[in-house]
Amino acid sequence: EMCIRDSGYPYDRNPMATRILHRRLEDAYPDKHVEVINTAITAINSITLRDFIKQVLKYEPDAILIYAGHNEFYGAFGIGSNETLSKNAFLRSLNFKLMNFRLAQLVRSGFNGISKNLSKTGGGEESTGTLMKRIVQDKDIVYGGDKYQTGIDQFRDNMTYILKQAGKKEVPVFLSDLVCNISDLPPFGDIPGGDQSAVSTYKSALKTLAEGDTLGARQLFYRAKDLDPVRFRASEEINQIIEKLAAKTGVNLVPAHKWFADASEGGLIGNNLLSEHVHPNIEGQFVLADAFYTKIVESKLIASAPDPLSYRSKDYYRRNWGYTPLDSLVGDFKIKQLKSHWPFTTLDAAVSFRDTYNYTGLVDSLAFSILTNPEANIQSLHEFLGEYYEKNNQVDLACREYESLIEFNPYRSTYYKKSANCHLKLIDFFSAEKHLRKSLGYVESFFAYALLGEIESIKRNHQGAVQAYQSAIELLEEDEKEEERLTQAKLTRAKQEARKPVQAGVFTYSRYVPFNIAPMYNKALSHLSTSLDSSLHYLELCLEVNDC
């Protein structure tokens, strides 16, 4: 059981690093029960983490995974934030303790309500815009200045405290360094003149890169980012603190920065892996998950080594993860809406992406509704699309929608059954059986057992079919006589087949090749008599797509 802090924005509980990490660990250690509990909250920083740590430790996690530091100045209670009652550490601590009492929560709720009503009636500051715009009080925090140093010291002190508390309970910590967009995002602000100008430094970086000096450009890009007085990106000093604390305390340092740099041309991290300034895009989510996964495996926290039979590469998960264009578009639209406001535009920008976008098709109209309709729910939209595609005989697309729903809620048996039904129609018995058995782990159902009986019969595993049909009949209600009659007939036939002598070679999976690997599988067969190496190559490609 692990706790992790990384929100996964702009993706909604699907193609996000925590879910990817969870699945990879489950597959790598199939004999272990793995839980990854995401405790991340938007716009919090080390001050809040410090308050949470003792509560987290009460749940006795086997490890704590931390990715934090970008919100240090503008996150709640940060030195440059509006969301604070006091900059004094003692008073903040007292405030946190009071917040645990219901009376204090009631009083604070009342004050917040009054404040919101005042702003609506014209007496307060204009309250529209993104959270980034509303949370910032000090829009210029000069690099190396007093406020900057206060934020840096605060991060160091809080992380030291967090690691100390985890150490007392002997809970391993995996502490990651940070990544941000350095090459494709100009500074949000500037202090003109001298060598403190972030904008001039950024322009110099672009010029140096154009001249072919990638290393020199990279140094200037990081310098420009650090000089940016609008501190939505952690300075490299934050990463230095993380590295020193990891070395001093012996916690596991997760080198996410190296993972991202290695996956970026010239080591220049930009739009290739990040959605905007700090949040990974879909590709970046898989890179971040891989960084944590690799470190956990190296630590031998769970076992001495992953199971070689169930291990899969990062690329396999990237290729097969259950997300669809709906997920991608929702994330893309959220980012475009975010970039319609400060600090990506001027403070007085009045027109947003939501005001100007015109959708043209079904999927983008559904994705756009997430921005415009407070009642819109992406899970419901996936269900709608799945049913829509099934009705229109686009079974492969329906299957992807149901696979996405499994990633949203991996503990709901209905999604596994719907996906299994689609896999059966696509002749993918391996995936169908896997999903049906997974569904039965949560809720036993006639549907799942009946379909398993069909699959076992096709596989000539007649004894398995008998057991499945018997379990299905036991779950039928009194008024389901027709279903009982049909299933009894199948059960009788399976019993008859089970009594016959076993015939070797009657069933082979090659008669039922899943649609998504059929072309490569046929190429493998075509090379079988002439080039065994080529045949094996295409079979390996099949397994990268579908590990049946």
Side-chain angles (χ1 to χ4, degrees):
E1 184 175 291
M2 304 174 191
C3 294
I4 187 169
R5 294 200 171 278
D6 168 52
S7 66
Y9 177 88
Y11 306 107
D12 190 347
R13 291 182 295 146
N14 188 359
M16 56 191 293
T18 50
R19 292 295 173 96
I20 299 163
L21 175 64
H22 190 174
R23 174 67 63 79
R24 291 195 66 182
L25 291 173
E26 279 188 319
D27 290 345
Y29 304 100
D31 60 333
K32 305 289 185 181
H33 176 68
V34 179
E35 282 186 289
V36 177
I37 302 169
N38 192 337
T39 58
I41 300 174
T42 301
I44 62 172
N45 56 24
S46 68
I47 298 171
T48 315
L49 301 189
R50 177 175 180 144
D51 181 61
F52 281 176
I53 184 62
K54 288 187 177 181
Q55 298 176 56
V56 168
L57 289 169
K58 285 181 180 178
Y59 289 94
E60 300 181 351
D62 296 303
I64 296 175
L65 283 54
I66 302 175
Y67 183 94
H70 284 305
N71 292 335
E72 203 55 35
F73 290 93
Y74 299 137
F77 300 94
I79 191 69
S81 171
N82 273 315
E83 297 294 321
T84 183
L85 293 180
S86 174
K87 300 292 193 292
N88 181 277
F90 171 76
L91 292 178
R92 278 202 309 263
S93 177
L94 179 62
N95 177 53
F96 277 127
K97 289 177 181 177
L98 287 173
M99 285 169 66
N100 289 320
F101 293 97
R102 292 189 180 276
L103 179 60
Q105 293 172 10
L106 179 63
V107 172
R108 183 175 180 127
S109 177
F111 276 121
N112 286 342
I114 294 169
S115 176
K116 288 177 182 177
N117 287 331
L118 284 173
S119 65
K120 288 177 182 178
T121 57
E125 185 181 17
E126 191 270 323
S127 61
T128 61
T130 64
L131 178 60
M132 292 175 74
K133 178 179 176 180
R134 287 181 277 117
I135 202 169
V136 173
Q137 182 181 76
D138 297 321
K139 293 182 172 64
D140 284 333
I141 298 177
V142 180
Y143 184 66
D146 291 342
K147 287 183 178 179
Y148 172 84
Q149 196 57 51
T150 299
I152 292 294
D153 293 342
Q154 165 188 284
F155 180 79
R156 181 189 296 106
D157 293 345
N158 290 335
M159 294 308 298
T160 300
Y161 177 85
I162 290 167
L163 298 180
K164 183 178 179 180
Q165 295 304 313
K168 285 181 179 178
K169 298 293 184 179
E170 298 183 345
V171 176
V173 175
F174 292 81
L175 178 62
S176 176
D177 56 13
L178 306 176
V179 298
C180 62
N181 190 333
I182 59 162
S183 60
D184 297 320
L185 186 70
F188 291 124
D190 195 30
I191 306 294
D195 61 354
Q196 292 290 308
S197 173
V199 171
S200 295
T201 306
Y202 183 79
K203 289 179 179 178
S204 295
L206 292 175
K207 182 174 181 294
T208 304
L209 182 61
E211 293 169 351
D213 183 1
T214 304
L215 180 59
R218 188 166 61 201
Q219 292 172 343
L220 287 169
F221 278 128
Y222 277 105
R223 172 72 177 168
K225 181 261 296 182
D226 286 353
L227 290 174
D228 187 352
V230 182
R231 303 208 163 273
F232 283 115
R233 293 177 290 181
S235 68
E236 289 310 289
E237 198 168 348
I238 292 284
N239 271 345
Q240 292 167 13
I241 291 170
I242 290 170
E243 292 169 6
K244 288 177 181 177
L245 283 174
K248 181 179 179 180
T249 61
V251 303
N252 300 279
L253 177 65
V254 180
H257 184 273
K258 182 181 185 302
W259 249 250
F260 276 71
D262 288 348
S264 304
E265 186 175 354
L268 300 176
I269 304 169
N271 293 339
N272 62 318
L273 295 175
L274 296 173
S275 297
E276 14 68 347
H277 56 310
V278 295
H279 294 104
N281 58 22
I282 290 177
E283 190 69 39
Q285 297 288 344
F286 284 89
V287 175
L288 183 60
D290 196 38
F292 274 98
Y293 171 84
T294 302
K295 199 66 182 179
I296 291 169
V297 170
E298 288 176 355
S299 74
K300 301 182 179 180
L301 171 71
I302 300 175
S304 59
D307 186 329
L309 294 179
S310 60
Y311 165 81
R312 300 179 184 89
S313 68
K314 173 178 73 73
D315 293 336
Y316 178 86
Y317 293 94
R318 175 69 180 87
R319 187 179 291 109
N320 291 284
W321 196 257
Y323 70 90
T324 73
L326 177 64
D327 299 300
S328 301
L329 281 173
V330 167
D332 183 50
F333 289 171
K334 285 181 180 178
I335 292 300
K336 286 178 177 175
Q337 178 65 12
L338 178 74
K339 288 184 174 180
S340 303
H341 295 280
W342 185 87
F344 299 93
T345 60
T346 59
L347 277 168
D348 57 355
V351 179
S352 72
F353 166 76
R354 187 170 57 192
D355 301 322
T356 59
Y357 180 72
N358 294 311
Y359 51 82
T360 57
L362 174 62
V363 178
D364 63 334
S365 68
L366 294 175
F368 191 64
S369 71
I370 295 292
L371 294 184
T372 58
N373 181 5
E375 303 299 319
N377 179 290
I378 191 169
Q379 286 183 247
S380 298
L381 298 181
H382 276 299
E383 290 192 56
F384 170 81
L385 276 176
E387 293 167 3
Y388 171 84
Y389 288 137
E390 275 198 278
K391 289 176 183 176
N392 288 276
N393 296 317
Q394 295 173 290
V395 181
D396 56 330
L397 296 180
C399 193
R400 296 294 292 177
E401 298 300 328
Y402 296 137
E403 290 288 324
S404 184
L405 283 165
I406 288 172
E407 305 304 344
F408 269 94
N409 189 344
Y411 306 108
R412 188 169 177 183
S413 64
T414 301
Y415 298 151
Y416 290 101
K417 288 185 286 189
K418 287 185 175 183
S419 180
N421 193 38
C422 288
H423 280 299
L424 276 177
K425 294 176 183 178
L426 296 169
I427 324 178
D428 188 351
F429 296 128
F430 178 82
S431 297
E433 182 178 352
K434 182 172 63 176
H435 283 336
L436 289 170
R437 296 197 184 283
K438 193 79 173 179
S439 78
L440 290 170
Y442 301 116
V443 177
E444 289 193 316
S445 67
F446 167 82
F447 178 86
Y449 279 122
L451 281 190
L452 277 176
E454 298 277 357
I455 293 173
E456 297 296 357
S457 293
I458 292 171
K459 289 165 57 180
R460 304 295 189 268
N461 178 16
H462 300 297
Q463 194 57 51
V466 168
Q467 293 173 358
Y469 286 134
Q470 286 175 336
S471 296
I473 291 170
E474 290 172 4
L475 292 168
L476 283 170
E477 301 292 337
E478 285 292 326
D479 58 347
E480 295 176 309
K481 297 297 182 183
E482 181 62 17
E483 287 86 348
E484 183 177 4
R485 184 185 68 80
L486 292 172
T487 309
Q488 282 284 7
K490 293 176 182 178
L491 173 60
T492 300
R493 188 162 58 249
K495 286 180 176 179
Q496 291 171 348
E497 293 292 331
R499 295 192 193 101
K500 294 180 180 179
V502 176
Q503 297 179 1
V506 171
F507 171 77
T508 59
Y509 268 111
S510 59
R511 293 176 56 198
Y512 305 94
V513 181
F515 82 104
N516 56 353
I517 63 170
M520 286 181 288
Y521 185 84
N522 290 332
K523 282 187 177 181
L525 292 184
S526 69
H527 287 285
L528 191 58
S529 59
T530 57
S531 173
L532 186 59
D533 287 342
S534 296
S535 186
L536 286 171
H537 168 72
Y538 285 114
L539 288 174
E540 287 172 351
L541 290 180
C542 288
L543 291 174
E544 280 295 311
V545 175
N546 188 333
D547 63 345
C548 61

Short mmCIF file of all heavy atoms in Angstrom, two decimals, residues 436-480:
data_model
loop_
_atom_site.label_atom_id
_atom_site.label_comp_id
_atom_site.label_asym_id
_atom_site.label_seq_id
_atom_site.Cartn_x
_atom_site.Cartn_y
_atom_site.Cartn_z
N LEU A 436 -13.62 -11.21 -17.74
CA LEU A 436 -14.72 -11.88 -17.06
C LEU A 436 -14.30 -12.40 -15.69
O LEU A 436 -15.03 -12.26 -14.71
CB LEU A 436 -15.23 -13.04 -17.92
CG LEU A 436 -15.98 -12.64 -19.19
CD1 LEU A 436 -16.23 -13.85 -20.07
CD2 LEU A 436 -17.30 -11.95 -18.86
N ARG A 437 -13.11 -12.96 -15.62
CA ARG A 437 -12.62 -13.46 -14.32
C ARG A 437 -12.36 -12.29 -13.37
O ARG A 437 -12.57 -12.41 -12.15
CB ARG A 437 -11.37 -14.31 -14.52
CG ARG A 437 -11.65 -15.57 -15.31
CD ARG A 437 -10.56 -16.61 -15.17
NE ARG A 437 -10.83 -17.78 -16.03
CZ ARG A 437 -11.72 -18.73 -15.75
NH1 ARG A 437 -12.41 -18.67 -14.62
NH2 ARG A 437 -11.91 -19.75 -16.57
N LYS A 438 -11.90 -11.17 -13.91
CA LYS A 438 -11.70 -9.99 -13.07
C LYS A 438 -13.04 -9.50 -12.52
O LYS A 438 -13.15 -9.13 -11.34
CB LYS A 438 -11.05 -8.88 -13.91
CG LYS A 438 -10.51 -7.73 -13.10
CD LYS A 438 -9.18 -8.04 -12.46
CE LYS A 438 -8.57 -6.82 -11.81
NZ LYS A 438 -7.27 -7.10 -11.17
N SER A 439 -14.07 -9.50 -13.34
CA SER A 439 -15.39 -9.04 -12.89
C SER A 439 -15.92 -9.93 -11.78
O SER A 439 -16.56 -9.45 -10.83
CB SER A 439 -16.38 -9.02 -14.06
OG SER A 439 -16.85 -10.31 -14.38
N LEU A 440 -15.67 -11.23 -11.88
CA LEU A 440 -16.15 -12.16 -10.86
C LEU A 440 -15.44 -11.96 -9.53
O LEU A 440 -15.96 -12.36 -8.48
CB LEU A 440 -15.96 -13.60 -11.34
CG LEU A 440 -16.88 -14.03 -12.48
CD1 LEU A 440 -16.45 -15.39 -13.03
CD2 LEU A 440 -18.34 -14.08 -12.02
N GLY A 441 -14.27 -11.34 -9.57
CA GLY A 441 -13.57 -11.03 -8.33
C GLY A 441 -14.27 -9.96 -7.52
O GLY A 441 -14.03 -9.81 -6.31
N TYR A 442 -15.16 -9.21 -8.17
CA TYR A 442 -15.91 -8.14 -7.49
C TYR A 442 -17.38 -8.50 -7.28
O TYR A 442 -17.91 -8.33 -6.19
CB TYR A 442 -15.79 -6.84 -8.28
CG TYR A 442 -14.36 -6.39 -8.44
CD1 TYR A 442 -13.77 -6.30 -9.70
CD2 TYR A 442 -13.57 -6.07 -7.33
CE1 TYR A 442 -12.45 -5.90 -9.85
CE2 TYR A 442 -12.26 -5.68 -7.47
CZ TYR A 442 -11.70 -5.59 -8.74
OH TYR A 442 -10.39 -5.21 -8.88
N VAL A 443 -18.02 -9.02 -8.34
CA VAL A 443 -19.44 -9.41 -8.23
C VAL A 443 -19.66 -10.67 -9.07
O VAL A 443 -19.34 -10.68 -10.27
CB VAL A 443 -20.38 -8.29 -8.73
CG1 VAL A 443 -21.83 -8.76 -8.67
CG2 VAL A 443 -20.21 -7.03 -7.91
N GLU A 444 -20.21 -11.73 -8.45
CA GLU A 444 -20.55 -12.91 -9.22
C GLU A 444 -21.82 -12.64 -10.01
O GLU A 444 -22.80 -12.08 -9.48
CB GLU A 444 -20.75 -14.11 -8.29
CG GLU A 444 -19.45 -14.61 -7.67
CD GLU A 444 -19.64 -15.97 -7.03
OE1 GLU A 444 -20.66 -16.14 -6.34
OE2 GLU A 444 -18.78 -16.84 -7.23
N SER A 445 -21.83 -13.06 -11.28
CA SER A 445 -23.00 -12.79 -12.12
C SER A 445 -23.24 -13.93 -13.09
O SER A 445 -22.30 -14.63 -13.51
CB SER A 445 -22.80 -11.49 -12.91
OG SER A 445 -21.76 -11.63 -13.86
N PHE A 446 -24.51 -14.11 -13.45
CA PHE A 446 -24.89 -15.11 -14.45
C PHE A 446 -24.18 -14.82 -15.77
O PHE A 446 -23.64 -15.72 -16.43
CB PHE A 446 -26.40 -15.09 -14.65
CG PHE A 446 -26.84 -15.85 -15.87
CD1 PHE A 446 -26.99 -17.23 -15.82
CD2 PHE A 446 -27.10 -15.19 -17.06
CE1 PHE A 446 -27.38 -17.94 -16.96
CE2 PHE A 446 -27.50 -15.89 -18.20
CZ PHE A 446 -27.63 -17.27 -18.15
N PHE A 447 -24.17 -13.55 -16.15
CA PHE A 447 -23.60 -13.15 -17.44
C PHE A 447 -22.14 -13.59 -17.56
O PHE A 447 -21.74 -14.19 -18.56
CB PHE A 447 -23.71 -11.63 -17.58
CG PHE A 447 -23.11 -11.07 -18.84
CD1 PHE A 447 -23.85 -11.00 -20.01
CD2 PHE A 447 -21.80 -10.61 -18.86
CE1 PHE A 447 -23.30 -10.49 -21.17
CE2 PHE A 447 -21.24 -10.09 -20.02
CZ PHE A 447 -22.00 -10.04 -21.18
N ALA A 448 -21.35 -13.30 -16.54
CA ALA A 448 -19.92 -13.62 -16.59
C ALA A 448 -19.68 -15.12 -16.64
O ALA A 448 -18.87 -15.61 -17.45
CB ALA A 448 -19.20 -13.01 -15.39
N TYR A 449 -20.39 -15.88 -15.80
CA TYR A 449 -20.20 -17.34 -15.80
C TYR A 449 -20.68 -17.96 -17.11
O TYR A 449 -20.06 -18.90 -17.64
CB TYR A 449 -20.93 -17.96 -14.62
CG TYR A 449 -20.18 -17.88 -13.32
CD1 TYR A 449 -20.72 -17.24 -12.20
CD2 TYR A 449 -18.92 -18.46 -13.19
CE1 TYR A 449 -20.03 -17.18 -11.00
CE2 TYR A 449 -18.22 -18.41 -11.98
CZ TYR A 449 -18.78 -17.76 -10.90
OH TYR A 449 -18.09 -17.70 -9.72
N ALA A 450 -21.79 -17.46 -17.65
CA ALA A 450 -22.32 -18.01 -18.89
C ALA A 450 -21.35 -17.78 -20.05
O ALA A 450 -21.11 -18.69 -20.87
CB ALA A 450 -23.67 -17.38 -19.21
N LEU A 451 -20.78 -16.59 -20.13
CA LEU A 451 -19.81 -16.32 -21.19
C LEU A 451 -18.54 -17.12 -21.00
O LEU A 451 -17.94 -17.59 -21.98
CB LEU A 451 -19.48 -14.82 -21.24
CG LEU A 451 -20.49 -13.90 -21.93
CD1 LEU A 451 -19.89 -12.51 -22.10
CD2 LEU A 451 -20.92 -14.44 -23.29
N LEU A 452 -18.11 -17.29 -19.75
CA LEU A 452 -16.94 -18.13 -19.49
C LEU A 452 -17.21 -19.56 -19.94
O LEU A 452 -16.31 -20.24 -20.47
CB LEU A 452 -16.58 -18.09 -18.01
CG LEU A 452 -15.73 -16.92 -17.53
CD1 LEU A 452 -15.55 -16.97 -16.02
CD2 LEU A 452 -14.36 -16.92 -18.22
N GLY A 453 -18.43 -20.03 -19.74
CA GLY A 453 -18.80 -21.37 -20.21
C GLY A 453 -18.65 -21.48 -21.72
O GLY A 453 -18.14 -22.49 -22.24
N GLU A 454 -19.08 -20.44 -22.44
CA GLU A 454 -18.95 -20.43 -23.90
C GLU A 454 -17.48 -20.50 -24.30
O GLU A 454 -17.09 -21.26 -25.20
CB GLU A 454 -19.57 -19.14 -24.46
CG GLU A 454 -21.04 -18.97 -24.19
CD GLU A 454 -21.90 -19.72 -25.19
OE1 GLU A 454 -21.34 -20.32 -26.12
OE2 GLU A 454 -23.13 -19.73 -25.03
N ILE A 455 -16.65 -19.69 -23.64
CA ILE A 455 -15.22 -19.64 -23.98
C ILE A 455 -14.55 -20.98 -23.68
O ILE A 455 -13.77 -21.50 -24.50
CB ILE A 455 -14.52 -18.50 -23.21
CG1 ILE A 455 -15.03 -17.14 -23.71
CG2 ILE A 455 -13.01 -18.57 -23.38
CD1 ILE A 455 -14.54 -15.96 -22.89
N GLU A 456 -14.85 -21.56 -22.52
CA GLU A 456 -14.24 -22.84 -22.17
C GLU A 456 -14.67 -23.94 -23.14
O GLU A 456 -13.89 -24.85 -23.47
CB GLU A 456 -14.59 -23.22 -20.73
CG GLU A 456 -14.07 -22.27 -19.66
CD GLU A 456 -12.54 -22.22 -19.60
OE1 GLU A 456 -11.87 -22.96 -20.34
OE2 GLU A 456 -12.01 -21.44 -18.79
N SER A 457 -15.90 -23.85 -23.63
CA SER A 457 -16.38 -24.84 -24.61
C SER A 457 -15.61 -24.71 -25.92
O SER A 457 -15.20 -25.72 -26.53
CB SER A 457 -17.87 -24.67 -24.86
OG SER A 457 -18.62 -24.98 -23.71
N ILE A 458 -15.40 -23.46 -26.36
CA ILE A 458 -14.63 -23.22 -27.58
C ILE A 458 -13.20 -23.73 -27.43
O ILE A 458 -12.61 -24.30 -28.35
CB ILE A 458 -14.63 -21.71 -27.92
CG1 ILE A 458 -16.04 -21.28 -28.34
CG2 ILE A 458 -13.62 -21.40 -29.03
CD1 ILE A 458 -16.18 -19.78 -28.49
N LYS A 459 -12.63 -23.55 -26.22
CA LYS A 459 -11.26 -24.00 -25.94
C LYS A 459 -11.18 -25.52 -25.75
O LYS A 459 -10.09 -26.05 -25.54
CB LYS A 459 -10.73 -23.30 -24.68
CG LYS A 459 -10.46 -21.83 -24.87
CD LYS A 459 -10.28 -21.10 -23.53
CE LYS A 459 -9.18 -21.70 -22.69
NZ LYS A 459 -9.04 -20.97 -21.39
N ARG A 460 -12.32 -26.21 -25.80
CA ARG A 460 -12.41 -27.66 -25.54
C ARG A 460 -12.05 -28.02 -24.11
O ARG A 460 -11.72 -29.17 -23.82
CB ARG A 460 -11.51 -28.44 -26.51
CG ARG A 460 -11.80 -28.19 -27.98
CD ARG A 460 -13.19 -28.68 -28.37
NE ARG A 460 -13.37 -28.63 -29.81
CZ ARG A 460 -13.91 -27.59 -30.47
NH1 ARG A 460 -14.29 -26.51 -29.80
NH2 ARG A 460 -14.06 -27.64 -31.77
N ASN A 461 -12.14 -27.03 -23.22
CA ASN A 461 -11.97 -27.30 -21.79
C ASN A 461 -13.36 -27.57 -21.22
O ASN A 461 -13.97 -26.73 -20.56
CB ASN A 461 -11.31 -26.13 -21.09
CG ASN A 461 -11.15 -26.34 -19.59
OD1 ASN A 461 -11.26 -27.47 -19.11
ND2 ASN A 461 -10.92 -25.27 -18.86
N HIS A 462 -13.87 -28.75 -21.50
CA HIS A 462 -15.27 -29.04 -21.20
C HIS A 462 -15.55 -29.12 -19.70
O HIS A 462 -16.65 -28.76 -19.26
CB HIS A 462 -15.68 -30.35 -21.90
CG HIS A 462 -15.52 -30.28 -23.38
ND1 HIS A 462 -16.23 -29.39 -24.17
CD2 HIS A 462 -14.70 -30.96 -24.22
CE1 HIS A 462 -15.88 -29.55 -25.42
NE2 HIS A 462 -14.95 -30.49 -25.49
N GLN A 463 -14.58 -29.58 -18.93
CA GLN A 463 -14.78 -29.62 -17.48
C GLN A 463 -14.90 -28.20 -16.92
O GLN A 463 -15.73 -27.93 -16.05
CB GLN A 463 -13.63 -30.36 -16.80
CG GLN A 463 -13.91 -30.73 -15.35
CD GLN A 463 -15.15 -31.59 -15.20
OE1 GLN A 463 -15.30 -32.61 -15.89
NE2 GLN A 463 -16.06 -31.20 -14.33
N GLY A 464 -14.08 -27.28 -17.46
CA GLY A 464 -14.19 -25.87 -17.06
C GLY A 464 -15.52 -25.27 -17.47
O GLY A 464 -16.11 -24.47 -16.75
N ALA A 465 -16.01 -25.68 -18.64
CA ALA A 465 -17.32 -25.20 -19.11
C ALA A 465 -18.43 -25.69 -18.19
O ALA A 465 -19.37 -24.94 -17.86
CB ALA A 465 -17.56 -25.67 -20.54
N VAL A 466 -18.36 -26.96 -17.77
CA VAL A 466 -19.36 -27.52 -16.85
C VAL A 466 -19.41 -26.69 -15.56
O VAL A 466 -20.50 -26.30 -15.09
CB VAL A 466 -19.04 -28.99 -16.53
CG1 VAL A 466 -19.90 -29.48 -15.36
CG2 VAL A 466 -19.26 -29.86 -17.75
N GLN A 467 -18.26 -26.42 -15.00
CA GLN A 467 -18.21 -25.64 -13.75
C GLN A 467 -18.79 -24.24 -13.94
O GLN A 467 -19.52 -23.72 -13.09
CB GLN A 467 -16.77 -25.56 -13.26
CG GLN A 467 -16.19 -26.89 -12.82
CD GLN A 467 -14.70 -26.83 -12.52
OE1 GLN A 467 -14.08 -25.79 -12.66
NE2 GLN A 467 -14.13 -27.95 -12.09
N ALA A 468 -18.46 -23.60 -15.07
CA ALA A 468 -18.95 -22.24 -15.33
C ALA A 468 -20.46 -22.23 -15.50
O ALA A 468 -21.17 -21.38 -14.92
CB ALA A 468 -18.27 -21.66 -16.57
N TYR A 469 -21.01 -23.17 -16.27
CA TYR A 469 -22.46 -23.22 -16.49
C TYR A 469 -23.20 -23.52 -15.19
O TYR A 469 -24.28 -22.97 -14.93
CB TYR A 469 -22.80 -24.25 -17.56
CG TYR A 469 -22.46 -23.83 -18.97
CD1 TYR A 469 -21.80 -24.70 -19.84
CD2 TYR A 469 -22.79 -22.55 -19.44
CE1 TYR A 469 -21.48 -24.33 -21.14
CE2 TYR A 469 -22.48 -22.18 -20.74
CZ TYR A 469 -21.82 -23.05 -21.58
OH TYR A 469 -21.50 -22.68 -22.85
N GLN A 470 -22.64 -24.41 -14.38
CA GLN A 470 -23.28 -24.71 -13.09
C GLN A 470 -23.33 -23.46 -12.21
O GLN A 470 -24.35 -23.18 -11.57
CB GLN A 470 -22.53 -25.84 -12.39
CG GLN A 470 -22.76 -27.21 -13.00
CD GLN A 470 -21.92 -28.29 -12.36
OE1 GLN A 470 -20.86 -28.03 -11.78
NE2 GLN A 470 -22.38 -29.54 -12.47
N SER A 471 -22.26 -22.72 -12.17
CA SER A 471 -22.22 -21.48 -11.38
C SER A 471 -23.21 -20.47 -11.92
O SER A 471 -23.87 -19.74 -11.15
CB SER A 471 -20.81 -20.89 -11.39
OG SER A 471 -19.88 -21.76 -10.78
N ALA A 472 -23.35 -20.40 -13.25
CA ALA A 472 -24.30 -19.46 -13.86
C ALA A 472 -25.73 -19.80 -13.46
O ALA A 472 -26.51 -18.91 -13.08
CB ALA A 472 -24.14 -19.49 -15.38
N ILE A 473 -26.10 -21.09 -13.53
CA ILE A 473 -27.46 -21.52 -13.19
C ILE A 473 -27.80 -21.20 -11.74
O ILE A 473 -28.92 -20.79 -11.42
CB ILE A 473 -27.62 -23.02 -13.50
CG1 ILE A 473 -27.58 -23.25 -15.01
CG2 ILE A 473 -28.92 -23.56 -12.90
CD1 ILE A 473 -27.50 -24.71 -15.42
N GLU A 474 -26.84 -21.36 -10.86
CA GLU A 474 -27.07 -21.09 -9.43
C GLU A 474 -27.43 -19.64 -9.17
O GLU A 474 -28.06 -19.31 -8.15
CB GLU A 474 -25.82 -21.46 -8.63
CG GLU A 474 -25.58 -22.97 -8.55
CD GLU A 474 -24.24 -23.30 -7.91
OE1 GLU A 474 -23.55 -22.34 -7.46
OE2 GLU A 474 -23.87 -24.49 -7.86
N LEU A 475 -27.04 -18.73 -10.08
CA LEU A 475 -27.28 -17.30 -9.88
C LEU A 475 -28.56 -16.81 -10.54
O LEU A 475 -28.91 -15.63 -10.43
CB LEU A 475 -26.08 -16.49 -10.41
CG LEU A 475 -24.78 -16.66 -9.62
CD1 LEU A 475 -23.61 -16.07 -10.39
CD2 LEU A 475 -24.90 -15.98 -8.26
N LEU A 476 -29.29 -17.71 -11.25
CA LEU A 476 -30.52 -17.30 -11.92
C LEU A 476 -31.66 -17.11 -10.92
O LEU A 476 -31.73 -17.79 -9.89
CB LEU A 476 -30.93 -18.34 -12.96
CG LEU A 476 -30.12 -18.31 -14.28
CD1 LEU A 476 -30.44 -19.54 -15.11
CD2 LEU A 476 -30.43 -17.03 -15.05
N GLU A 477 -32.56 -16.18 -11.27
CA GLU A 477 -33.74 -15.95 -10.44
C GLU A 477 -34.86 -16.90 -10.87
O GLU A 477 -34.79 -17.54 -11.93
CB GLU A 477 -34.21 -14.49 -10.59
CG GLU A 477 -33.18 -13.45 -10.19
CD GLU A 477 -32.90 -13.44 -8.70
OE1 GLU A 477 -33.78 -13.90 -7.94
OE2 GLU A 477 -31.81 -12.99 -8.31
N GLU A 478 -35.92 -16.96 -10.06
CA GLU A 478 -37.03 -17.88 -10.33
C GLU A 478 -37.71 -17.60 -11.67
O GLU A 478 -38.16 -18.51 -12.35
CB GLU A 478 -38.07 -17.78 -9.19
CG GLU A 478 -37.65 -18.45 -7.90
CD GLU A 478 -37.59 -19.96 -8.04
OE1 GLU A 478 -38.40 -20.52 -8.80
OE2 GLU A 478 -36.71 -20.58 -7.41
N ASP A 479 -37.80 -16.31 -12.05
CA ASP A 479 -38.55 -15.95 -13.25
C ASP A 479 -37.71 -16.00 -14.53
O ASP A 479 -38.19 -15.62 -15.60
CB ASP A 479 -39.16 -14.55 -13.09
CG ASP A 479 -38.10 -13.49 -12.82
OD1 ASP A 479 -36.95 -13.86 -12.52
OD2 ASP A 479 -38.43 -12.28 -12.91
N GLU A 480 -36.48 -16.47 -14.43
CA GLU A 480 -35.59 -16.50 -15.61
C GLU A 480 -35.54 -17.92 -16.18
O GLU A 480 -34.48 -18.53 -16.31
CB GLU A 480 -34.20 -16.00 -15.24
CG GLU A 480 -34.20 -14.54 -14.81
CD GLU A 480 -32.83 -14.06 -14.35
OE1 GLU A 480 -32.22 -14.73 -13.47
OE2 GLU A 480 -32.38 -13.02 -14.86
#
